[in-house]
Amino acid sequence: MEKSLQNRVVYLFVGIFIITTLGFYPTYLSKFPSFEGLTTAHHFHAFIASLWIIMLITQSFLIRAKQYRLHRLIGKSSYVVMPLLLISLFLVSRAGYYRNIKVISEADTLAALTNGLPDILFLGTLFTLGMVYRKNPSWHLRFLTSTGLMILGPGLGRFLIVFCGLPFMIAIPLLTFLTTGVALIWMILDIRQKKSAIPMAVFLGMGIIAFAIGASNHSAWWQGFAGWVAAHWF
């Protein structure tokens, strides 16, 4: 099963790329070439996030083709690309803060940061674990696949709203259900195959925590934390 999984995970990454592209078409790609209302931070994030997904696709193809040496060589570039991706998330959150504070209340502006700030910690943790366990192919695959599932979230949410016509309050819980659902099913299959459930359980736990943070975005603790970040880092 593990070998089959390594060969087929490329289709998941291709699907992530397609859905993300479609999801961001109305709010980003359709604005070409003027990109009115968008900043350098948005362009930087779009480029680095796309690069990361393309790297995941390329790396899975190389494993499928048994090009392990080239896979390891390209993998070393991830030590540059992932930090840049985390920086881009921070810059987009910062840009969003200064855009929103002009048109909505401070509380709502800080609440909106739940869509960006936690992702920096979660994505960084998944990547770090993937690299720490790079000599364990099973864990390495699952942790890095989880980074792709995390990137899928924003694009999937926009896809559900724009192409499926779902209201925001339904689309957001649904995208959480879908992405964590993949992790849950994968974890159950791992348990049945007598493999460790830890990698997918980590992602599943992050999904639950992210949903809980989003649901409490107007709570005193989040408003205090986000306000501190805005005051000292933005």
Side-chain angles (χ1 to χ4, degrees):
M1 176 184 171
E2 194 68 19
K3 192 65 177 179
S4 176
L5 180 61
Q6 291 177 352
N7 290 335
R8 294 179 180 178
V9 74
V10 63
Y11 301 121
L12 173 62
F13 294 142
V14 171
I16 290 173
F17 184 80
I18 292 173
I19 292 176
T20 301
T21 300
L22 291 174
F24 278 96
Y25 178 80
T27 58
Y28 185 78
L29 295 174
S30 66
K31 296 187 177 184
F32 176 86
S34 65
F35 291 106
E36 183 179 356
L38 297 171
T39 67
T40 301
H42 292 100
H43 299 318
F44 179 56
H45 175 65
F47 173 75
I48 297 298
S50 297
L51 179 60
W52 182 255
I53 298 175
I54 291 171
M55 283 183 62
L56 291 176
I57 294 172
T58 302
Q59 290 292 72
S60 57
F61 265 124
L62 291 175
I63 288 295
R64 187 170 183 170
K66 295 182 172 56
Q67 297 294 320
Y68 304 120
R69 183 176 180 182
L70 185 55
H71 174 86
R72 288 191 294 269
L73 181 62
I74 293 178
K76 292 179 180 178
S77 66
S78 67
Y79 290 105
V80 175
V81 176
M82 178 52 72
L84 290 177
L85 179 56
L86 300 180
I87 291 171
S88 77
L89 282 169
F90 173 81
L91 294 176
V92 167
S93 296
R94 182 177 181 272
Y97 172 83
Y98 284 114
R99 178 194 63 218
N100 291 336
I101 200 67
K102 297 176 182 178
V103 295
I104 60 177
S105 69
E106 181 181 10
D108 288 341
T109 298
L110 295 177
L113 291 176
T114 57
N115 293 323
L117 292 182
D119 294 342
I120 299 173
L121 173 62
F122 295 150
L123 198 56
T125 299
L126 290 171
F127 172 74
T128 300
L129 290 172
M131 293 300 104
V132 167
Y133 292 101
R134 63 188 179 277
K135 294 185 179 180
N136 182 332
S138 178
W139 284 38
H140 179 71
L141 169 66
R142 285 158 176 76
F143 282 128
L144 291 187
T145 298
S146 295
T147 67
L149 290 173
M150 274 208 66
I151 293 176
L152 171 64
L156 177 59
R158 287 165 173 81
F159 179 84
L160 292 173
I161 293 170
V162 175
F163 289 93
C164 300
L166 297 178
F168 179 85
M169 295 304 294
I170 294 179
I172 299 305
L174 181 58
L175 79 86
T176 302
F177 173 78
L178 291 174
T179 53
T180 55
V182 171
L184 178 61
I185 293 172
W186 198 336
M187 183 179 72
I188 293 173
L189 291 175
D190 280 344
I191 293 173
R192 292 185 61 181
Q193 295 292 323
K194 301 188 183 304
K195 296 183 179 297
S196 175
I198 292 177
M200 300 318 298
V202 168
F203 177 76
L204 183 61
M206 287 180 177
I208 294 172
I209 292 172
F211 183 78
I213 291 175
S216 59
N217 56 15
H218 282 86
S219 64
W221 75 268
W222 175 260
Q223 291 284 313
F225 170 73
W228 179 85
V229 172
H232 293 86
W233 293 92
F234 288 176

